Amino acid sequence: DPSTITDPIAAQFRTLAELAKPAVYLPSTRTVDDVLRDMQAAHGRMGVVVTFMAVLELLKESLLTLVQNEPFAPIYVKAVA
């Protein structure tokens, strides 16, 4: 419980459980730009950072792929079947 923390520096931080939000499921037709714009509007810069880190982790684990048809075109995130 953060209210019982006596260390003033530790009291400034929140736990992961306090920061966690429910998962957001998106249609496959949404672009990365749209998703990041929505996350920034809803959760501020931290929402974008956490979302980006989650996408990178899923890419690393080969659970997602990025699809871009031509340079400077929208980038789509596709779940690996």
Side-chain angles (χ1 to χ4, degrees):
D1 181 18
S3 63
T4 61
I5 297 174
T6 56
D7 180 5
I9 294 174
Q12 296 175 23
F13 296 97
R14 297 191 304 188
T15 66
L16 183 60
E18 292 172 320
L19 295 172
K21 304 282 189 232
V24 177
Y25 296 95
L26 304 167
S28 61
T29 57
R30 296 281 311 270
T31 65
V32 172
D33 290 341
D34 289 339
V35 172
L36 293 178
R37 194 174 307 112
D38 289 350
M39 288 294 179
Q40 187 169 16
H43 304 291
R45 188 174 298 154
M46 183 60 78
V48 173
V49 171
V50 170
T51 301
F52 183 69
M53 290 174 60
V55 169
L56 288 177
E57 184 66 26
L58 292 170
L59 287 167
K60 184 178 93 175
E61 297 293 326
S62 299
L63 298 172
L64 291 178
T65 60
L66 295 180
V67 178
Q68 185 178 28
N69 296 328
E70 60 187 49
F72 305 105
I75 299 171
Y76 296 90
V77 177
K78 181 179 176 184
V80 175

Coordinates of all heavy atoms in Angstrom, one line a residue:
D1 N 0.9 -1.2 0.0 CA 0.0 0.0 0.0 C 0.9 1.2 0.0 O 1.7 1.4 0.9 CB -0.9 -0.1 1.2 CG -1.9 1.1 1.3 OD1 -2.1 1.8 0.3 OD2 -2.4 1.4 2.4
P2 N 0.8 2.1 -1.0 CA 1.7 3.3 -1.1 C 1.5 4.3 0.1 O 2.4 5.0 0.4 CB 1.3 3.9 -2.4 CG 0.6 2.9 -3.2 CD 0.0 1.9 -2.2
S3 N 0.3 4.3 0.7 CA 0.1 5.2 1.8 C 0.9 4.9 3.0 O 1.2 5.7 3.9 CB -1.4 5.3 2.1 OG -1.8 4.1 2.6
T4 N 1.4 3.6 3.1 CA 2.2 3.2 4.3 C 3.7 3.3 4.0 O 4.5 3.0 4.9 CB 1.9 1.7 4.6 OG1 2.2 0.9 3.5 CG2 0.4 1.6 5.0
I5 N 4.1 3.8 2.9 CA 5.5 3.9 2.5 C 6.1 5.1 3.3 O 5.6 6.2 3.1 CB 5.8 4.0 1.0 CG1 5.3 2.8 0.3 CG2 7.2 4.3 0.7 CD1 5.4 2.8 -1.2
T6 N 7.2 5.0 4.0 CA 7.7 6.1 4.8 C 8.9 6.7 4.0 O 9.2 7.9 4.3 CB 8.2 5.6 6.1 OG1 9.2 4.6 5.9 CG2 7.1 5.1 7.0
D7 N 9.5 6.0 3.0 CA 10.6 6.6 2.3 C 10.0 7.6 1.3 O 9.2 7.2 0.4 CB 11.3 5.5 1.5 CG 12.4 6.0 0.6 OD1 12.8 7.2 0.7 OD2 13.0 5.1 -0.1
P8 N 10.4 8.9 1.3 CA 9.7 9.9 0.5 C 10.0 9.7 -1.0 O 9.2 10.0 -1.9 CB 10.3 11.2 0.9 CG 11.5 10.9 1.7 CD 11.3 9.5 2.2
I9 N 11.2 9.1 -1.4 CA 11.5 8.8 -2.8 C 10.7 7.7 -3.3 O 10.1 7.7 -4.3 CB 13.0 8.6 -3.0 CG1 13.8 9.9 -2.6 CG2 13.3 8.1 -4.4 CD1 15.3 9.7 -2.6
A10 N 10.6 6.6 -2.5 CA 9.8 5.4 -2.9 C 8.3 5.8 -3.0 O 7.6 5.2 -3.9 CB 10.0 4.3 -2.0
A11 N 7.8 6.7 -2.2 CA 6.4 7.1 -2.2 C 6.0 7.8 -3.5 O 4.8 7.8 -3.9 CB 6.1 8.0 -1.1
Q12 N 7.0 8.3 -4.3 CA 6.7 9.0 -5.6 C 6.4 8.0 -6.7 O 5.8 8.4 -7.7 CB 7.9 9.8 -6.0 CG 8.2 10.9 -5.1 CD 9.5 11.7 -5.5 OE1 9.9 11.6 -6.6 NE2 10.1 12.3 -4.5
F13 N 6.7 6.7 -6.5 CA 6.6 5.7 -7.6 C 5.3 4.9 -7.4 O 4.8 4.8 -6.2 CB 7.8 4.8 -7.6 CG 9.0 5.5 -8.0 CD1 9.9 5.9 -7.0 CD2 9.3 5.8 -9.3 CE1 11.1 6.6 -7.3 CE2 10.5 6.5 -9.6 CZ 11.4 6.9 -8.6
R14 N 4.7 4.5 -8.5 CA 3.5 3.6 -8.4 C 3.9 2.2 -8.8 O 4.8 2.0 -9.6 CB 2.4 4.2 -9.3 CG 2.0 5.6 -8.8 CD 0.8 6.1 -9.4 NE 0.9 6.2 -10.9 CZ 0.0 6.7 -11.7 NH1 -1.0 7.3 -11.2 NH2 0.2 6.7 -13.0
T15 N 3.1 1.3 -8.4 CA 3.3 -0.1 -8.7 C 2.8 -0.4 -10.1 O 2.0 0.4 -10.6 CB 2.7 -1.1 -7.7 OG1 1.3 -0.9 -7.8 CG2 3.1 -0.8 -6.3
L16 N 3.3 -1.5 -10.7 CA 2.8 -1.9 -12.0 C 1.3 -2.1 -12.0 O 0.6 -1.8 -12.9 CB 3.5 -3.1 -12.5 CG 3.2 -3.7 -13.8 CD1 3.5 -2.6 -14.9 CD2 3.9 -4.9 -14.1
A17 N 0.8 -2.7 -10.9 CA -0.7 -3.0 -10.8 C -1.5 -1.7 -10.8 O -2.6 -1.6 -11.3 CB -0.9 -3.7 -9.5
E18 N -0.9 -0.6 -10.2 CA -1.6 0.7 -10.2 C -1.6 1.3 -11.6 O -2.5 2.0 -12.0 CB -0.9 1.7 -9.3 CG -1.1 1.3 -7.8 CD -0.2 2.1 -6.9 OE1 0.9 2.5 -7.3 OE2 -0.8 2.5 -5.8
L19 N -0.6 1.0 -12.4 CA -0.4 1.6 -13.7 C -1.1 0.8 -14.8 O -1.5 1.3 -15.9 CB 1.0 1.8 -14.1 CG 1.8 2.8 -13.3 CD1 3.3 2.7 -13.6 CD2 1.3 4.2 -13.4
A20 N -1.3 -0.5 -14.6 CA -1.9 -1.4 -15.6 C -3.3 -1.0 -16.0 O -4.1 -0.7 -15.1 CB -1.8 -2.8 -15.1
K21 N -3.6 -1.1 -17.2 CA -4.9 -0.9 -17.8 C -5.4 -2.2 -18.5 O -4.6 -3.0 -18.9 CB -4.9 0.2 -18.8 CG -4.3 1.5 -18.3 CD -5.3 2.3 -17.5 CE -4.8 3.6 -17.1 NZ -4.8 4.0 -15.8
P22 N -6.7 -2.3 -18.7 CA -7.2 -3.5 -19.4 C -6.6 -3.5 -20.8 O -6.3 -2.5 -21.4 CB -8.7 -3.3 -19.4 CG -9.0 -2.3 -18.4 CD -7.8 -1.5 -18.2
A23 N -6.4 -4.7 -21.4 CA -5.9 -4.9 -22.7 C -6.9 -4.3 -23.7 O -8.1 -4.3 -23.5 CB -5.7 -6.3 -23.1
V24 N -6.4 -3.7 -24.8 CA -7.2 -3.1 -25.8 C -7.1 -4.0 -27.1 O -6.0 -4.2 -27.5 CB -6.7 -1.7 -26.1 CG1 -7.6 -1.1 -27.3 CG2 -6.8 -0.8 -24.9
Y25 N -8.2 -4.4 -27.6 CA -8.2 -5.3 -28.8 C -8.6 -4.4 -30.0 O -9.6 -3.7 -29.9 CB -9.1 -6.5 -28.6 CG -8.6 -7.4 -27.5 CD1 -9.1 -7.3 -26.2 CD2 -7.6 -8.3 -27.8 CE1 -8.7 -8.1 -25.2 CE2 -7.2 -9.1 -26.7 CZ -7.7 -9.0 -25.5 OH -7.2 -9.8 -24.5
L26 N -7.8 -4.4 -31.0 CA -8.0 -3.6 -32.2 C -8.2 -4.4 -33.4 O -7.6 -5.5 -33.6 CB -6.7 -2.7 -32.4 CG -6.3 -1.9 -31.1 CD1 -4.9 -1.3 -31.3 CD2 -7.3 -0.8 -30.9
P27 N -9.0 -3.8 -34.3 CA -9.2 -4.5 -35.6 C -7.9 -4.5 -36.4 O -7.1 -3.6 -36.3 CB -10.3 -3.7 -36.3 CG -10.3 -2.4 -35.6 CD -9.8 -2.6 -34.2
S28 N -7.7 -5.5 -37.2 CA -6.5 -5.7 -38.0 C -6.3 -4.6 -39.0 O -5.2 -4.4 -39.6 CB -6.4 -7.0 -38.7 OG -7.5 -7.2 -39.6
T29 N -7.3 -3.8 -39.3 CA -7.2 -2.7 -40.3 C -6.7 -1.4 -39.7 O -6.4 -0.5 -40.5 CB -8.6 -2.5 -40.9 OG1 -9.5 -2.1 -39.8 CG2 -9.1 -3.7 -41.6
R30 N -6.5 -1.3 -38.4 CA -5.9 -0.1 -37.8 C -4.4 0.0 -38.1 O -3.7 -0.9 -38.1 CB -6.1 -0.1 -36.3 CG -7.5 -0.1 -35.8 CD -8.2 1.2 -35.8 NE -7.6 2.3 -35.2 CZ -7.6 2.7 -34.0 NH1 -8.4 2.0 -33.1 NH2 -7.0 3.7 -33.5
T31 N -4.0 1.3 -38.4 CA -2.6 1.5 -38.6 C -1.9 1.8 -37.3 O -2.6 2.2 -36.3 CB -2.4 2.7 -39.6 OG1 -2.8 3.9 -38.9 CG2 -3.0 2.5 -40.9
V32 N -0.6 1.7 -37.3 CA 0.2 1.9 -36.1 C 0.0 3.4 -35.7 O -0.2 3.7 -34.5 CB 1.7 1.6 -36.3 CG1 2.5 2.1 -35.1 CG2 1.9 0.1 -36.5
D33 N 0.0 4.3 -36.7 CA -0.2 5.7 -36.4 C -1.5 6.0 -35.7 O -1.5 6.7 -34.7 CB -0.2 6.5 -37.7 CG 1.1 6.6 -38.4 OD1 2.1 6.4 -37.7 OD2 1.2 6.9 -39.6
D34 N -2.6 5.4 -36.1 CA -3.9 5.5 -35.5 C -3.9 5.0 -34.0 O -4.4 5.7 -33.1 CB -5.0 4.8 -36.2 CG -5.3 5.4 -37.6 OD1 -5.0 6.6 -37.7 OD2 -5.9 4.8 -38.4
V35 N -3.3 3.9 -33.8 CA -3.3 3.3 -32.5 C -2.4 4.1 -31.6 O -2.9 4.4 -30.4 CB -2.7 1.8 -32.6 CG1 -2.5 1.3 -31.2 CG2 -3.6 0.9 -33.4
L36 N -1.2 4.6 -32.0 CA -0.4 5.4 -31.1 C -1.1 6.7 -30.8 O -1.0 7.2 -29.7 CB 1.0 5.6 -31.8 CG 1.8 4.3 -31.8 CD1 3.2 4.6 -32.5 CD2 2.1 3.7 -30.5
R37 N -1.7 7.3 -31.8 CA -2.4 8.6 -31.6 C -3.5 8.4 -30.5 O -3.7 9.2 -29.6 CB -3.0 9.1 -32.9 CG -3.5 10.5 -32.9 CD -3.9 11.0 -34.2 NE -2.9 10.8 -35.3 CZ -3.1 10.0 -36.3 NH1 -4.2 9.3 -36.5 NH2 -2.1 9.9 -37.2
D38 N -4.3 7.3 -30.6 CA -5.3 7.0 -29.6 C -4.7 6.8 -28.3 O -5.3 7.3 -27.3 CB -6.2 5.8 -30.0 CG -7.1 6.1 -31.2 OD1 -7.2 7.2 -31.6 OD2 -7.6 5.1 -31.8
M39 N -3.6 6.1 -28.2 CA -3.0 5.8 -26.9 C -2.5 7.1 -26.3 O -2.6 7.3 -25.1 CB -1.9 4.8 -27.0 CG -2.3 3.4 -27.3 SD -3.2 2.8 -25.9 CE -3.6 1.2 -26.4
Q40 N -1.9 8.0 -27.1 CA -1.4 9.2 -26.5 C -2.6 10.1 -26.0 O -2.4 10.7 -25.0 CB -0.6 10.0 -27.6 CG 0.1 11.2 -27.0 CD 1.1 11.8 -27.9 OE1 1.1 11.5 -29.1 NE2 1.9 12.7 -27.4
A41 N -3.7 10.1 -26.7 CA -4.8 10.9 -26.3 C -5.4 10.3 -25.0 O -5.8 11.1 -24.1 CB -5.9 10.9 -27.4
A42 N -5.4 9.0 -24.9 CA -6.1 8.4 -23.7 C -5.1 8.3 -22.5 O -5.6 8.5 -21.4 CB -6.6 7.0 -24.1
H43 N -3.9 8.0 -22.8 CA -3.0 7.8 -21.6 C -1.7 8.6 -21.6 O -0.8 8.4 -20.8 CB -2.5 6.3 -21.7 CG -3.7 5.3 -21.7 ND1 -4.5 5.2 -20.6 CD2 -4.2 4.5 -22.7 CE1 -5.4 4.3 -20.9 NE2 -5.3 3.9 -22.2
G44 N -1.6 9.6 -22.5 CA -0.5 10.5 -22.5 C 0.8 9.8 -23.1 O 0.7 8.7 -23.7
R45 N 1.9 10.4 -22.9 CA 3.1 9.9 -23.5 C 3.5 8.5 -22.9 O 4.0 7.7 -23.6 CB 4.2 10.9 -23.2 CG 5.5 10.6 -23.9 CD 6.6 11.6 -23.7 NE 6.1 12.9 -24.2 CZ 6.5 14.1 -23.8 NH1 7.4 14.2 -22.9 NH2 6.1 15.1 -24.4
M46 N 3.2 8.3 -21.7 CA 3.5 7.0 -21.1 C 2.8 5.8 -21.8 O 3.3 4.8 -22.0 CB 3.2 6.9 -19.6 CG 3.6 5.6 -18.9 SD 5.4 5.2 -19.0 CE 6.0 6.3 -17.8
G47 N 1.5 6.1 -22.2 CA 0.8 5.1 -22.9 C 1.4 4.7 -24.2 O 1.4 3.5 -24.6
V48 N 1.9 5.7 -24.9 CA 2.6 5.5 -26.2 C 3.9 4.7 -25.9 O 4.2 3.7 -26.7 CB 2.9 6.8 -26.9 CG1 3.8 6.5 -28.1 CG2 1.6 7.5 -27.3
V49 N 4.7 5.0 -24.9 CA 5.9 4.3 -24.7 C 5.7 2.8 -24.3 O 6.3 1.9 -24.8 CB 6.7 5.0 -23.5 CG1 7.9 4.2 -23.1 CG2 7.2 6.4 -24.0
V50 N 4.7 2.6 -23.4 CA 4.4 1.2 -23.0 C 3.8 0.4 -24.2 O 4.2 -0.7 -24.4 CB 3.4 1.2 -21.8 CG1 2.9 -0.2 -21.5 CG2 4.0 1.9 -20.6
T51 N 3.0 1.1 -25.0 CA 2.4 0.4 -26.2 C 3.5 0.0 -27.1 O 3.6 -1.1 -27.7 CB 1.4 1.3 -26.9 OG1 0.4 1.6 -25.9 CG2 0.8 0.6 -28.1
F52 N 4.4 1.0 -27.4 CA 5.5 0.7 -28.3 C 6.4 -0.4 -27.8 O 6.8 -1.3 -28.6 CB 6.4 2.0 -28.5 CG 7.5 1.9 -29.5 CD1 7.2 1.7 -30.9 CD2 8.8 1.9 -29.1 CE1 8.2 1.6 -31.8 CE2 9.8 1.8 -30.0 CZ 9.5 1.6 -31.3
M53 N 6.7 -0.4 -26.5 CA 7.6 -1.5 -26.0 C 6.9 -2.8 -26.1 O 7.5 -3.8 -26.4 CB 7.9 -1.2 -24.5 CG 8.9 0.0 -24.4 SD 9.1 0.5 -22.7 CE 9.8 -0.9 -22.0
A54 N 5.6 -2.9 -25.9 CA 4.8 -4.1 -26.0 C 4.9 -4.6 -27.4 O 5.0 -5.8 -27.7 CB 3.4 -3.9 -25.5
V55 N 4.7 -3.7 -28.4 CA 4.8 -4.1 -29.8 C 6.1 -4.6 -30.2 O 6.3 -5.6 -30.8 CB 4.4 -2.9 -30.7 CG1 4.7 -3.2 -32.2 CG2 2.9 -2.6 -30.6
L56 N 7.2 -4.0 -29.7 CA 8.6 -4.4 -29.9 C 8.8 -5.8 -29.4 O 9.4 -6.7 -30.0 CB 9.6 -3.5 -29.3 CG 9.8 -2.1 -30.0 CD1 10.8 -1.3 -29.3 CD2 10.2 -2.3 -31.5
E57 N 8.3 -6.1 -28.2 CA 8.4 -7.4 -27.6 C 7.7 -8.5 -28.4 O 8.2 -9.6 -28.6 CB 7.9 -7.4 -26.1 CG 8.1 -8.7 -25.4 CD 9.5 -9.0 -25.1 OE1 10.4 -8.1 -25.1 OE2 9.8 -10.2 -25.0
L58 N 6.5 -8.2 -28.8 CA 5.7 -9.1 -29.7 C 6.4 -9.3 -31.0 O 6.4 -10.5 -31.5 CB 4.3 -8.6 -29.9 CG 3.4 -8.6 -28.6 CD1 2.1 -7.9 -28.8 CD2 3.2 -10.0 -28.1
L59 N 7.0 -8.3 -31.6 CA 7.8 -8.5 -32.8 C 9.0 -9.4 -32.6 O 9.3 -10.3 -33.4 CB 8.3 -7.1 -33.4 CG 7.2 -6.3 -34.0 CD1 7.7 -4.9 -34.2 CD2 6.7 -6.8 -35.3
K60 N 9.7 -9.2 -31.5 CA 10.9 -10.0 -31.1 C 10.5 -11.5 -31.0 O 11.2 -12.3 -31.4 CB 11.5 -9.5 -29.8 CG 12.8 -10.2 -29.5 CD 13.4 -9.6 -28.2 CE 12.9 -10.3 -27.0 NZ 13.4 -10.0 -25.8
E61 N 9.3 -11.7 -30.4 CA 8.8 -13.1 -30.2 C 8.2 -13.7 -31.4 O 7.6 -14.8 -31.4 CB 7.9 -13.1 -29.0 CG 8.5 -12.7 -27.7 CD 9.5 -13.7 -27.2 OE1 9.4 -14.9 -27.4 OE2 10.5 -13.2 -26.6
S62 N 8.2 -12.9 -32.5 CA 7.6 -13.3 -33.8 C 6.1 -13.6 -33.7 O 5.5 -14.4 -34.4 CB 8.3 -14.5 -34.3 OG 9.6 -14.2 -34.6
L63 N 5.4 -12.9 -32.8 CA 3.9 -13.0 -32.7 C 3.2 -11.9 -33.5 O 2.0 -12.0 -33.8 CB 3.5 -12.8 -31.2 CG 4.1 -13.9 -30.3 CD1 3.8 -13.6 -28.8 CD2 3.5 -15.3 -30.7
L64 N 4.0 -10.9 -34.0 CA 3.5 -9.9 -34.8 C 4.4 -9.7 -36.0 O 5.6 -9.9 -35.9 CB 3.4 -8.5 -34.1 CG 2.3 -8.3 -33.0 CD1 2.4 -6.9 -32.4 CD2 0.9 -8.6 -33.5
T65 N 3.9 -9.2 -37.1 CA 4.7 -8.7 -38.2 C 4.3 -7.3 -38.6 O 3.2 -6.9 -38.4 CB 4.6 -9.6 -39.4 OG1 3.3 -9.7 -39.9 CG2 5.1 -11.0 -39.1
L66 N 5.2 -6.6 -39.1 CA 4.9 -5.2 -39.7 C 4.8 -5.3 -41.2 O 5.6 -6.0 -41.8 CB 6.0 -4.2 -39.3 CG 6.2 -3.9 -37.8 CD1 7.3 -2.9 -37.6 CD2 4.9 -3.5 -37.2
V67 N 3.8 -4.7 -41.7 CA 3.5 -4.7 -43.1 C 3.5 -3.3 -43.6 O 2.7 -2.4 -43.1 CB 2.2 -5.4 -43.5 CG1 1.9 -5.4 -45.0 CG2 2.2 -6.8 -42.9
Q68 N 4.4 -3.0 -44.6 CA 4.4 -1.7 -45.3 C 4.6 -1.9 -46.8 O 5.5 -2.5 -47.2 CB 5.5 -0.8 -44.7 CG 5.5 0.6 -45.2 CD 6.6 1.4 -44.6 OE1 7.7 0.9 -44.2 NE2 6.4 2.7 -44.5
N69 N 3.6 -1.4 -47.5 CA 3.6 -1.7 -49.0 C 4.6 -0.9 -49.8 O 5.0 -1.4 -50.8 CB 2.2 -1.5 -49.5 CG 1.2 -2.5 -48.9 OD1 1.6 -3.6 -48.6 ND2 0.0 -2.1 -48.8
E70 N 5.0 0.2 -49.3 CA 5.9 1.1 -50.1 C 6.6 2.1 -49.1 O 6.0 2.3 -48.0 CB 5.3 1.8 -51.2 CG 4.1 2.7 -50.8 CD 3.4 3.3 -52.0 OE1 3.0 2.6 -52.9 OE2 3.2 4.5 -51.9
P71 N 7.7 2.7 -49.4 CA 8.3 3.6 -48.5 C 7.3 4.8 -48.2 O 6.6 5.2 -49.0 CB 9.5 4.1 -49.3 CG 9.8 3.1 -50.3 CD 8.5 2.5 -50.6
F72 N 7.3 5.2 -46.9 CA 6.5 6.3 -46.4 C 5.0 6.0 -46.4 O 4.2 6.8 -46.2 CB 6.8 7.6 -47.1 CG 8.2 8.0 -47.1 CD1 9.0 7.8 -48.2 CD2 8.8 8.4 -45.9 CE1 10.4 8.1 -48.2 CE2 10.2 8.8 -45.9 CZ 10.9 8.6 -47.0
A73 N 4.6 4.7 -46.7 CA 3.2 4.3 -46.6 C 2.9 4.0 -45.2 O 3.8 3.8 -44.4 CB 3.0 3.1 -47.5
P74 N 1.6 3.9 -44.8 CA 1.2 3.5 -43.5 C 1.8 2.1 -43.2 O 2.0 1.3 -44.0 CB -0.3 3.4 -43.5 CG -0.7 4.3 -44.7 CD 0.4 4.2 -45.7
I75 N 2.1 1.9 -41.9 CA 2.7 0.7 -41.4 C 1.5 -0.1 -40.7 O 0.9 0.5 -39.8 CB 3.8 0.9 -40.4 CG1 5.0 1.6 -41.2 CG2 4.3 -0.4 -39.8 CD1 6.1 2.0 -40.3
Y76 N 1.3 -1.3 -41.0 CA 0.2 -2.1 -40.4 C 0.9 -3.2 -39.5 O 1.9 -3.7 -39.9 CB -0.7 -2.7 -41.5 CG -1.4 -1.7 -42.3 CD1 -0.9 -1.2 -43.5 CD2 -2.7 -1.3 -41.8 CE1 -1.6 -0.3 -44.2 CE2 -3.4 -0.3 -42.6 CZ -2.8 0.2 -43.8 OH -3.5 1.1 -44.5
V77 N 0.2 -3.5 -38.4 CA 0.7 -4.5 -37.5 C -0.2 -5.7 -37.8 O -1.5 -5.6 -37.7 CB 0.6 -4.1 -36.1 CG1 1.0 -5.2 -35.1 CG2 1.5 -2.9 -35.8
K78 N 0.4 -6.9 -38.0 CA -0.4 -8.1 -38.3 C 0.0 -9.2 -37.4 O 1.1 -9.4 -37.1 CB -0.1 -8.5 -39.8 CG -0.9 -9.7 -40.2 CD -0.6 -10.1 -41.7 CE -1.3 -11.3 -42.1 NZ -0.9 -11.7 -43.4
A79 N -1.1 -9.8 -36.8 CA -0.8 -11.0 -35.9 C -0.4 -12.2 -36.7 O -0.9 -12.4 -37.8 CB -2.1 -11.3 -35.1
V80 N 0.6 -12.9 -36.3 CA 1.0 -14.1 -36.9 C 0.0 -15.2 -36.6 O -0.3 -15.4 -35.5 CB 2.5 -14.5 -36.5 CG1 2.9 -15.8 -37.1 CG2 3.4 -13.4 -36.8
A81 N -0.4 -15.9 -37.7 CA -1.5 -16.9 -37.5 C -0.8 -18.2 -37.0 O 0.3 -18.6 -37.2 CB -2.2 -17.2 -38.8

